[in-house]
């Protein structure tokens, strides 16, 4: 089993557009949220390769609750202890 530690996980916001027009407003087609941070990216690749791993680190506040939800969908074993702000 491999453990990854991400001390400062982030939320990556991916914006999808049909095309990018210069000097014009671009209409957003879709917004996706994903987990950011080196350790979480490593855990993602390990999971894709079929290797057992544990993603851990520090989460807190509103952003922490979003990240916890995203982690639960992506990994079978996220371990992030709750923190108080």
């Amino acid at each position: 089993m491999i453990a990854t530690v991400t001390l400062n996980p982030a939320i990556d916001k991916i914006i999808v557009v049909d095309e990018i027009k210069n000097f014009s407003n671009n209409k957003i087609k879709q917004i996706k949220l994903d987990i950011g941070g080196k350790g979480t990216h490593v855990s993602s690749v390990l999971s894709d390769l079929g290797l057992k791993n544990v993603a851990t680190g520090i989460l807190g506040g509103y952003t922490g609750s979003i990240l916890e939800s995203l982690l639960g969908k992506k990994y079978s074993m996220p371990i992030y202890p709750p923190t108080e702000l």
Side-chain angles (χ1 to χ4, degrees):
M1 169 101 37
I2 300 169
T4 62
V5 180
T6 306
L7 297 178
N8 192 20
I11 299 173
D12 291 342
K13 191 179 214 178
I14 302 157
I15 298 172
V16 180
V17 295
D18 286 329
E19 63 179 306
I20 296 177
K21 300 174 187 173
N22 291 330
F23 309 108
S24 178
N25 290 337
N26 294 288
K27 187 175 179 182
I28 296 173
K29 185 176 181 181
Q30 184 179 13
I31 297 175
K32 298 178 186 178
L33 297 178
D34 199 8
I35 304 158
K38 290 178 183 76
T40 53
H41 289 160
V42 169
S43 281
S44 178
V45 171
L46 292 171
S47 294
D48 291 343
L49 293 172
L51 299 171
K52 290 185 180 180
N53 67 88
V54 175
T56 188
I58 300 169
L59 299 178
Y62 176 71
T63 304
S65 63
I66 293 171
L67 283 165
E68 190 172 27
S69 172
L70 292 170
L71 283 163
K73 292 177 188 173
K74 198 161 194 170
Y75 307 111
S76 57
M77 249 199 278
I79 302 173
Y80 281 80
T83 57
E84 293 282 330
L85 294 178

